[in-house]
Amino acid sequence: MKKLEKITPQSENFARWYTDVIQNGDLMAYGSTKGSIIFKPLSFGIWDNIRLNLDKKFKSVGVQNVNLPLLIPESLLQKEKDHLQGFNPELATVTEVGGKKLAEKYYIRPTSETLFGEFFKNEINSYNDLPLIYNQWVNVLRWEKTTNPFLRTREFLWQEGHTIHSSEEEAKLLTTKMLNIYKEFVSDYLAIPVMDGQKTEHEKFSGADFTFTIEAMMKDGKALQAGTSHYLGQNFAKPFDISFKNKENKLEYAYGTSWGVSTRLLGALIMTHGDDRGIIIPPKIAPTQVDIIELFANKDQRVHEVASQIKSDLLLKGYEVKLDDSDKGAGFKAANSEIHGTPLRIEVGPRDLNENQVLLVRRDTLEKVYCPLGNVVETVEKLLVDIQNNLFNEAKKRLLSNIVSISTYDEFKKAIDEGKWVYAPFDGDGEDEKKIKEETGASTRCIPFVKPLEIENDTCFFTNRKTKRLVIFAKSY
Amino acid sequence: MKKLEKITPQSENFARWYTDVIQNGDLMAYGSTKGSIIFKPLSFGIWDNIRLNLDKKFKSVGVQNVNLPLLIPESLLQKEKDHLQGFNPELATVTEVGGKKLAEKYYIRPTSETLFGEFFKNEINSYNDLPLIYNQWVNVLRWEKTTNPFLRTREFLWQEGHTIHSSEEEAKLLTTKMLNIYKEFVSDYLAIPVMDGQKTEHEKFSGADFTFTIEAMMKDGKALQAGTSHYLGQNFAKPFDISFKNKENKLEYAYGTSWGVSTRLLGALIMTHGDDRGIIIPPKIAPTQVDIIELFANKDQRVHEVASQIKSDLLLKGYEVKLDDSDKGAGFKAANSEIHGTPLRIEVGPRDLNENQVLLVRRDTLEKVYCPLGNVVETVEKLLVDIQNNLFNEAKKRLLSNIVSISTYDEFKKAIDEGKWVYAPFDGDGEDEKKIKEETGASTRCIPFVKPLEIENDTCFFTNRKTKRLVIFAKSY
């Protein structure tokens, strides 16, 4: 067990706070390869719960899991040029085996559209064989220049869904459906509210016709792209010859989608809920939902008896519980529970037992609740629901109050500087977006499906042209 | 939907039978890279169930899941020479990114002892921090020359457990414990009986002090190594400096183990239970446990009503069920269920409904059971248990009756030629094992913990020296 170190306050230096809490919270260690991380049991436990619960949602809409190879032969990736262009500088390349040069190079997958393209080609003949709605939970590699644990690592874990359909309409509907599943899941399980919308041409996925996204707001005001769903049209079907006989018995190219969320979600979770004591894990996704702590067990044998009884009562109800019956001090045990983000802790000590009660402490509000011994299970049940809801509501309030409207580029710069999201009319192109990014650090996050604010103004703050396109800009991870 | 092709009978050509059933049974497709495969929904579903159930067993003995990086820096793998030596020719090597040469090469992990070594080093200070009992479910790569789907592929999926302990005794106990978990799991869930034992020096893992193994027998008599557990001693602790302060406050190197099972288990499952109609999946691991088939539903509306009712009754009981209400022919539907290995199918047709019954057909024995409508759930429950047990018992009978004892090398050769496993006194060394392999194709599988046969003879069939070491030899996958 390592000593708990002091955590830099969020207000002092948010980036350092982040590094402090992920290390002190036993979430990760740095890997031997630069830009790589080790997921320790706590962070991998959260990811496992994300996988388990999101997979259930996927299956309810007919998604089937498959597993495709890690390596992409050079020739295969060449087939879709836009796509290759987008990933080329980041491709880790296998050129030799056992010291001998290979005849063809292989790329470690940065994503698997091309591999699925080759696979799909051989799986379908007629419209009867469609749709194919596949997904895989795998690792991918993108050789990023600057990295940040969970947020941007060279290797990361994700799920990537890949589907093909017999009509444009059906594929577009699925693109929307999967984005909605992401939004629901991230809201309900991770307690992270998001803005959902469409990416601009400049920010869409390489090879997609359009990209939908959910954007979350971190406690420092920065945006984090938490999930994307792409409509690929026939962009991969044509070069990969994914065609089928339609109802008129004519050959037609299939319509594709792809969609994914990654271990970035862990970063999002930490920076949405964490406070100066450490991370806070929403109960519905927490590997440990309740920490039970024994105080002065050596002085009073009831302590261990009651603590064990509470543990087995809660386990029986299906909660994930840990009992700390070590002889460490009360302060250490409480801080240890807090820094690991366990949503609720129960302190069992002689003084409270004399009153026939135990102390429950919420991780989110730090509120203390004294609870009669006969009532612990019901109180835990209620508090965990409260904590889940409170985390979401607090984040939602912050999100909505931090989106502002502006009229001029000067106002824009000022708002971005203050860590706000700007929602404003914008009809600039990719070049304009690049310029704005250079000058302010902000990029377009999405054209939201639902307006976060009423905007009367219809003049683009950058081009001064009239436009109805309302775009969110923000600095982002 | 593809047409079902004719399957080569096992007796005609077992290897071709295998290729036929995995392709017709929609288990896999060949990947774009030579020696790689795509896991289709059925095979990945089985692997997912293996993961889910084995992981529960792991957690019950305190295993925690983590995730380490894919790439091993060249310098790291150099640290343990025996280990490097064992894997060197098979290492896929990343030498460039985006067309630019890297300063250091990276190997795609063939296994992760070295990465865990580096990780463990920084995680422990004193004996209080031990043991660490970690596991990861990941992909690994070994550039094999000859490949065979599920059995030997360049990339495969597996779990690899890595642990460190403060005493030799504790580490050795864990090595045994994990092998027992594998044996239990493979027997109980996959219905595969195994011989458990120790590998000879020649066949042990590169870098281990000793290796335990479970060996399964395929229907063609060949052995398949289904899981291994290695005691690593301090072999990795020393080069990686994994040391801790012991109770005497002195620095001591930790004692390690590693253990794994892989997607080879799918090959083992197919070749243990499959027959000339296709694969047979044991009920406890089957993604679909019951296929319900509608016959002549267009002529009698009761058919769809009853079939749907049975489906929802079984789903309610927690069974995995599929309903085929297509208008395909009865023969096609039955063959389709059989080739995909679903342990039980229920045929619902007008003639049986007139008798107030449906037909249940076991996949293992092909036995037909007419079942009154009011009794379907109970009968399914009973039959699935019977099928699970019968698959195991049949395989166990085959295993035991196919292990023979011999006295001379001539008898040895004859037995191996006939596809038997030989159990005999053997005290030869690695060179002898190599010679025997060259001359007969057989290798040592293990020195079994429990004797499969009583052996009186104590003379080595190869060296003619006296020995008490009793070894199993067989041809193997």
Side-chain angles (χ1 to χ4, degrees):
Chain A
M1 181 78 66
K2 283 179 191 162
K3 267 196 208 149
L4 305 178
E5 310 272 341
K6 204 183 158 314
I7 295 173
T8 307
Q10 290 186 335
S11 58
E12 192 181 310
N13 185 329
F14 195 80
R16 199 177 297 154
W17 167 84
Y18 182 73
T19 312
D20 286 352
V21 295
I22 57 177
Q23 293 197 55
N24 278 291
D26 283 321
L27 289 165
M28 55 72 70
Y30 289 101
S32 315
T33 304
K34 191 178 164 301
S36 78
I37 62 166
I38 292 165
F39 288 77
K40 293 217 223 175
L42 182 56
S43 60
F44 196 78
I46 299 172
W47 180 244
D48 239 0
N49 283 343
I50 288 176
R51 174 173 172 155
L52 201 72
N53 289 296
L54 191 52
D55 219 45
K56 274 185 204 154
K57 283 187 186 276
F58 285 167
K59 282 187 177 145
S60 74
V61 297
V63 177
Q64 295 188 293
N65 283 334
V66 295
N67 189 276
L68 270 63
L70 174 74
L71 298 180
I72 308 176
E74 190 177 19
S75 54
L76 201 63
L77 202 68
Q78 305 278 7
K79 286 198 178 180
E80 218 288 315
K81 300 289 176 194
D82 282 351
H83 185 67
L84 175 67
Q85 214 63 30
F87 286 105
N88 198 34
E90 299 173 0
L91 295 173
T93 313
V94 174
T95 63
E96 55 179 63
V97 168
K100 284 179 194 136
K101 211 170 166 204
L102 291 168
E104 185 176 17
K105 292 179 183 181
Y106 296 90
Y107 300 116
I108 298 181
R109 63 183 164 215
T111 178
S112 304
E113 276 73 10
T114 54
L115 292 163
F116 273 90
E118 185 88 344
F119 172 38
F120 283 146
K121 180 180 71 179
N122 301 314
E123 290 296 300
I124 59 165
N125 292 310
S126 97
Y127 68 93
N128 274 322
D129 303 326
L130 292 165
L132 293 180
I133 302 182
Y134 288 160
N135 174 61
Q136 61 178 3
W137 292 89
V138 294
N139 54 343
V140 290
L141 225 92
R142 299 175 187 177
W143 210 265
E144 305 273 1
K145 288 212 180 75
T146 44
T147 58
N148 201 350
F150 301 122
L151 298 168
R152 195 171 293 277
T153 47
R154 287 186 175 166
E155 181 185 359
F156 56 92
L157 307 179
W158 78 346
Q159 61 68 218
E160 46 177 325
H162 297 269
T163 73
I164 47 171
H165 306 261
S166 57
S167 79
E168 186 178 329
E169 192 193 356
E170 188 185 291
K172 285 182 174 171
L173 272 175
L174 192 95
T175 313
T176 302
K177 190 191 271 182
M178 298 321 295
L179 194 82
N180 286 339
I181 285 184
Y182 289 153
K183 185 180 175 179
E184 246 179 65
F185 174 76
V186 165
S187 306
D188 292 355
Y189 283 80
L190 307 184
I192 301 176
V194 292
M195 290 303 304
D196 50 339
Q198 184 169 340
K199 287 280 182 193
T200 62
E201 275 296 299
H202 182 61
E203 291 282 342
K204 75 175 187 189
F205 177 67
S206 325
D209 275 5
F210 58 77
T211 290
F212 293 155
T213 179
I214 52 172
E215 300 281 327
M217 183 186 283
M218 304 299 97
K219 273 196 167 171
D220 62 352
K222 280 195 193 168
L224 185 148
Q225 177 181 302
T228 47
S229 184
H230 316 291
Y231 173 68
L232 305 175
Q234 297 174 318
N235 299 341
F236 288 86
K238 283 177 182 167
F240 286 93
D241 194 20
I242 309 168
S243 56
F244 63 98
K245 275 197 185 132
N246 63 20
K247 285 187 182 168
E248 288 75 44
N249 210 26
K250 283 185 181 149
L251 270 184
E252 186 173 348
Y253 288 115
Y255 302 84
T257 83
S258 68
W259 26 276
V261 300
S262 77
T263 37
R264 296 199 94 193
L265 286 179
L266 295 174
L269 182 147
I270 296 161
M271 293 193 297
T272 300
H273 304 304
D275 65 15
D276 287 348
R277 299 185 185 210
I279 63 168
I280 303 178
I281 310 174
K284 282 174 88 167
I285 211 77
T288 304
Q289 297 172 302
V290 182
D291 276 327
I292 305 171
I293 284 172
E294 297 184 1
L295 307 179
F296 307 108
N298 53 342
K299 292 188 182 149
D300 186 338
Q301 64 162 9
R302 291 177 307 168
V303 169
H304 184 63
E305 283 168 24
V306 170
S308 305
Q309 185 59 48
I310 291 175
K311 182 181 174 187
S312 56
D313 290 350
L314 289 173
L315 286 176
L316 209 68
K317 281 279 175 180
Y319 291 107
E320 299 290 341
V321 186
K322 265 194 191 160
L323 172 61
D324 187 347
D325 57 3
S326 70
D327 53 7
K328 296 197 183 76
F332 176 89
K333 287 182 180 182
N336 193 43
S337 172
E338 284 176 352
I339 206 167
H340 290 98
T342 308
L344 191 63
R345 81 172 179 272
I346 302 178
E347 300 189 357
V348 183
R351 214 168 47 190
D352 285 331
L353 288 183
N354 289 339
E355 312 278 324
N356 241 346
Q357 65 186 14
V358 291
L359 176 63
L360 276 55
V361 187
R362 292 173 63 145
R363 176 64 188 87
D364 58 338
T365 57
L366 304 172
E367 187 191 344
K368 295 179 172 188
V369 180
Y370 289 94
C371 172
L373 278 185
N375 215 13
V376 175
V377 173
E378 294 73 7
T379 309
V380 165
E381 201 166 347
K382 188 191 157 300
L383 284 178
L384 288 179
V385 172
D386 277 2
I387 292 167
Q388 183 80 32
N389 292 337
N390 177 56
L391 287 172
F392 179 78
N393 292 335
E394 286 298 311
K396 177 115 197 194
K397 254 189 272 172
R398 207 166 48 242
L399 172 68
L400 292 180
S401 68
N402 211 37
I403 305 179
V404 298
S405 73
I406 52 93
S407 306
T408 67
Y409 194 33
D410 277 346
E411 284 174 27
F412 178 96
K413 287 177 186 163
K414 185 162 172 288
I416 293 295
D417 256 3
E418 288 167 354
K420 306 283 183 194
W421 288 17
V422 166
Y423 180 55
F426 176 67
D427 82 336
D429 59 14
E431 286 308 309
D432 296 330
E433 289 186 40
K434 271 192 206 162
K435 212 174 292 170
I436 292 170
K437 176 112 191 237
E438 276 167 27
E439 292 175 2
T440 69
S443 55
T444 59
R445 304 317 304 160
C446 67
I447 303 152
F449 295 141
V450 176
K451 298 181 177 183
L453 295 172
E454 271 314 314
I455 304 280
E456 310 263 307
N457 172 14
D458 62 355
T459 309
C460 172
F461 69 89
F462 196 72
T463 66
N464 287 317
R465 290 190 295 259
K466 293 275 170 199
T467 180
K468 292 197 167 166
R469 194 174 73 152
L470 294 164
V471 181
I472 290 177
F473 281 84
K475 288 187 187 169
S476 73
Y477 282 97
Chain B
M1 181 79 65
K2 284 179 190 160
K3 266 197 208 146
L4 306 178
E5 310 272 340
K6 204 182 159 316
I7 294 173
T8 307
Q10 291 187 336
S11 58
E12 192 182 310
N13 185 329
F14 194 81
R16 198 176 300 154
W17 167 84
Y18 182 73
T19 313
D20 285 353
V21 296
I22 58 177
Q23 293 197 54
N24 277 293
D26 283 322
L27 289 164
M28 53 73 69
Y30 290 101
S32 315
T33 304
K34 192 177 164 300
S36 78
I37 62 167
I38 292 165
F39 289 77
K40 291 216 219 178
L42 182 55
S43 59
F44 196 78
I46 299 172
W47 180 245
D48 241 359
N49 283 343
I50 289 175
R51 175 174 171 154
L52 201 71
N53 289 295
L54 191 52
D55 219 46
K56 273 185 205 155
K57 282 187 188 276
F58 286 167
K59 284 187 177 146
S60 75
V61 296
V63 176
Q64 294 189 294
N65 282 334
V66 296
N67 189 275
L68 269 63
L70 175 73
L71 298 180
I72 309 176
E74 190 176 20
S75 53
L76 202 62
L77 202 67
Q78 306 278 6
K79 287 199 179 180
E80 218 289 316
K81 298 290 176 193
D82 284 351
H83 184 67
L84 175 67
Q85 213 64 28
F87 286 104
N88 198 33
E90 300 172 359
L91 295 173
T93 314
V94 174
T95 62
E96 55 179 63
V97 167
K100 283 180 195 137
K101 213 173 165 200
L102 292 168
E104 185 177 16
K105 293 180 182 180
Y106 295 91
Y107 301 117
I108 298 180
R109 63 183 164 214
T111 179
S112 304
E113 275 74 10
T114 54
L115 293 162
F116 273 91
E118 186 88 344
F119 173 37
F120 283 146
K121 180 180 71 179
N122 301 315
E123 290 296 300
I124 59 166
N125 292 310
S126 97
Y127 69 92
N128 274 321
D129 301 327
L130 292 167
L132 294 180
I133 303 182
Y134 288 161
N135 174 62
Q136 61 178 3
W137 292 89
V138 295
N139 53 345
V140 290
L141 224 93
R142 299 174 188 178
W143 208 265
E144 305 273 2
K145 288 212 178 76
T146 44
T147 57
N148 200 351
F150 300 122
L151 298 169
R152 193 172 294 277
T153 47
R154 285 186 176 167
E155 181 185 359
F156 56 93
L157 308 179
W158 78 345
Q159 60 67 218
E160 46 177 324
H162 297 267
T163 73
I164 47 171
H165 307 262
S166 57
S167 80
E168 186 178 328
E169 192 194 355
E170 188 186 291
K172 285 182 175 171
L173 272 175
L174 193 96
T175 312
T176 301
K177 190 191 270 180
M178 298 320 294
L179 193 82
N180 287 339
I181 284 184
Y182 288 153
K183 184 180 176 179
E184 246 179 65
F185 174 77
V186 165
S187 306
D188 292 355
Y189 283 80
L190 306 184
I192 300 177
V194 291
M195 290 302 306
D196 50 339
Q198 185 169 339
K199 288 280 182 193
T200 61
E201 275 296 300
H202 182 60
E203 290 282 342
K204 75 174 188 190
F205 177 68
S206 325
D209 275 4
F210 59 76
T211 290
F212 293 155
T213 179
I214 51 173
E215 300 281 325
M217 183 186 283
M218 304 298 97
K219 273 196 168 171
D220 62 352
K222 281 195 193 168
L224 185 148
Q225 177 180 303
T228 47
S229 183
H230 315 292
Y231 173 66
L232 305 175
Q234 296 175 319
N235 300 339
F236 287 87
K238 283 177 182 167
F240 286 93
D241 195 21
I242 309 167
S243 56
F244 63 98
K245 274 195 186 135
N246 62 22
K247 286 187 181 169
E248 288 75 45
N249 210 26
K250 283 186 183 149
L251 269 185
E252 185 175 348
Y253 289 115
Y255 303 84
T257 82
S258 69
W259 26 275
V261 298
S262 76
T263 38
R264 295 198 94 195
L265 286 178
L266 296 175
L269 183 147
I270 296 161
M271 293 195 295
T272 300
H273 304 304
D275 64 15
D276 287 348
R277 299 186 184 208
I279 64 167
I280 303 179
I281 311 173
K284 282 173 87 166
I285 211 77
T288 304
Q289 297 171 301
V290 182
D291 276 327
I292 304 171
I293 284 172
E294 296 184 1
L295 308 179
F296 308 107
N298 54 344
K299 291 188 182 147
D300 186 339
Q301 64 162 10
R302 290 176 306 167
V303 168
H304 185 63
E305 285 168 22
V306 171
S308 305
Q309 185 60 49
I310 292 176
K311 183 181 173 186
S312 56
D313 290 349
L314 290 174
L315 285 177
L316 209 67
K317 281 279 176 180
Y319 292 107
E320 299 291 340
V321 187
K322 266 193 190 160
L323 172 61
D324 186 347
D325 57 2
S326 70
D327 53 8
K328 297 198 184 73
F332 177 90
K333 287 183 179 182
N336 194 43
S337 172
E338 285 176 353
I339 207 167
H340 290 99
T342 309
L344 191 64
R345 81 172 180 271
I346 302 178
E347 300 189 358
V348 183
R351 213 166 48 189
D352 285 331
L353 288 182
N354 287 339
E355 312 278 324
N356 240 346
Q357 66 186 13
V358 291
L359 177 62
L360 276 56
V361 187
R362 291 173 65 144
R363 177 63 187 87
D364 59 338
T365 57
L366 303 172
E367 187 191 345
K368 294 180 172 187
V369 179
Y370 289 93
C371 172
L373 278 186
N375 215 15
V376 175
V377 173
E378 294 75 7
T379 310
V380 165
E381 201 166 347
K382 189 191 156 301
L383 284 178
L384 288 179
V385 172
D386 278 1
I387 293 167
Q388 183 79 31
N389 291 337
N390 177 55
L391 287 171
F392 180 77
N393 292 334
E394 287 297 312
K396 178 114 194 194
K397 255 189 270 171
R398 208 167 47 241
L399 172 68
L400 291 180
S401 68
N402 210 37
I403 305 180
V404 298
S405 74
I406 51 94
S407 305
T408 67
Y409 193 33
D410 276 347
E411 284 173 26
F412 178 96
K413 286 178 186 163
K414 186 162 171 288
I416 294 294
D417 256 4
E418 287 167 354
K420 306 284 184 195
W421 287 17
V422 167
Y423 180 56
F426 175 68
D427 82 336
D429 59 14
E431 286 308 306
D432 296 329
E433 289 185 39
K434 272 192 204 162
K435 212 174 291 169
I436 292 170
K437 176 112 193 238
E438 275 168 28
E439 292 175 3
T440 69
S443 55
T444 58
R445 305 316 305 159
C446 68
I447 303 153
F449 295 141
V450 176
K451 299 180 176 183
L453 295 173
E454 269 317 312
I455 304 279
E456 310 263 308
N457 171 15
D458 62 355
T459 309
C460 172
F461 70 89
F462 196 73
T463 66
N464 287 318
R465 290 190 295 260
K466 294 275 171 200
T467 180
K468 292 196 165 164
R469 193 173 75 153
L470 294 164
V471 181
I472 289 177
F473 281 85
K475 286 187 187 168
S476 73
Y477 281 95

